[in-house]
Amino acid sequence: MFVISLGEDGAELRPLEPWRAEELLAHMDRGREFVGRFIGVADSVADLESSRAFLQSYADKAAADTGRLYGIWTDGTLVGGVLFRTMDVARGVAEVGCWLEPSAAGKGLVTRATRVLIDWAVEERGIHRVEWVVAAENAASIAVARRLGMTKDGVLRESYPHRGQRYDVEIWSVLAPEWRSGKQPS
């Protein structure tokens, strides 16, 4: 297994695999309402069986090269995740996403972790367009898209039904040349 440091605060990025189902469930239980405000993962991971199924679905996506899932750990505790919800290598398009429990919010963890994913997708996999799909009311997630140098492509009005409400969805993206030109020198 690999671990990627996310900075001097000790945060780490690691694969989030089926054998971590109990850990994922405990994490969701700590942050279910916060995480579930705008995304469905909190509702999808409701018990140990659904936690395993969620993780297995991403293990299957990784095996098929159509998605990836990684956890964010601080002080040895799973506090969030980043993922390629979809990844079409032939078309050169991937959708990246994220979530955090409340204790981890506001520390730049998602921005740092997503930078690792986008860099890998662009430089290693040849992905040309990385998308960020976000409920228009999710200001924190939109701020991440901006910090990542993404451009707002448009709004899909009332296209996302979630917990009995229909949300407008903003589509943000960064293209490979933009990503490369915006990277900080090492």
Side-chain angles (χ1 to χ4, degrees):
M1 178 176 83
F2 70 84
V3 173
I4 296 174
S5 171
L6 294 177
E8 295 177 12
D9 60 1
E12 297 176 334
L13 184 67
R14 306 178 197 164
L16 193 47
E17 299 171 326
W19 62 274
R20 293 194 179 270
E22 289 182 24
E23 192 173 10
L24 176 62
L25 180 59
H27 158 59
M28 276 303 146
D29 286 344
R30 286 190 304 273
R32 188 168 311 282
E33 285 312 306
F34 183 79
V35 171
R37 292 174 306 154
F38 298 109
I39 62 172
V41 67
D43 299 333
S44 297
V45 177
D47 54 31
L48 192 53
E49 182 179 340
S50 60
S51 183
R52 276 195 194 99
F54 177 78
L55 293 175
Q56 186 60 55
S57 74
Y58 275 91
D60 294 345
K61 283 184 177 192
D65 204 22
T66 59
R68 300 281 189 285
L69 177 62
Y70 302 93
I72 300 170
W73 277 261
T74 59
D75 299 320
T77 301
L78 178 64
V79 296
V82 289
L83 57 97
F84 285 112
R85 196 184 71 73
T86 61
M87 193 164 95
D88 186 334
V89 176
R91 286 183 48 231
V93 177
E95 179 191 332
V96 69
C98 67
W99 74 86
L100 283 175
E101 63 183 61
S103 68
K107 300 176 182 177
L109 295 170
V110 164
T111 303
R112 290 183 272 158
T114 305
R115 278 190 180 120
V116 171
L117 265 64
I118 294 173
D119 204 52
W120 174 81
V122 168
E123 301 301 344
E124 299 294 325
R125 298 313 315 279
I127 296 294
H128 178 74
R129 175 184 169 87
V130 178
E131 298 176 341
W132 187 268
V133 178
V134 55
E137 294 181 20
N138 190 343
S141 189
I142 291 168
V144 172
R146 286 188 175 113
R147 283 192 297 275
L148 292 169
M150 293 184 163
T151 299
K152 181 177 171 181
D153 295 330
V155 177
L156 303 175
R157 297 178 312 131
E158 296 186 8
S159 67
Y160 177 55
H162 179 65
R163 294 185 172 180
Q165 184 174 343
R166 296 197 71 82
Y167 289 89
D168 289 354
V169 171
E170 294 185 5
I171 311 298
W172 291 72
S173 68
V174 64
L175 304 179
E178 297 164 344
W179 181 255
R180 289 184 183 111
S181 71
K183 283 179 20 178
Q184 300 300 319
S186 299

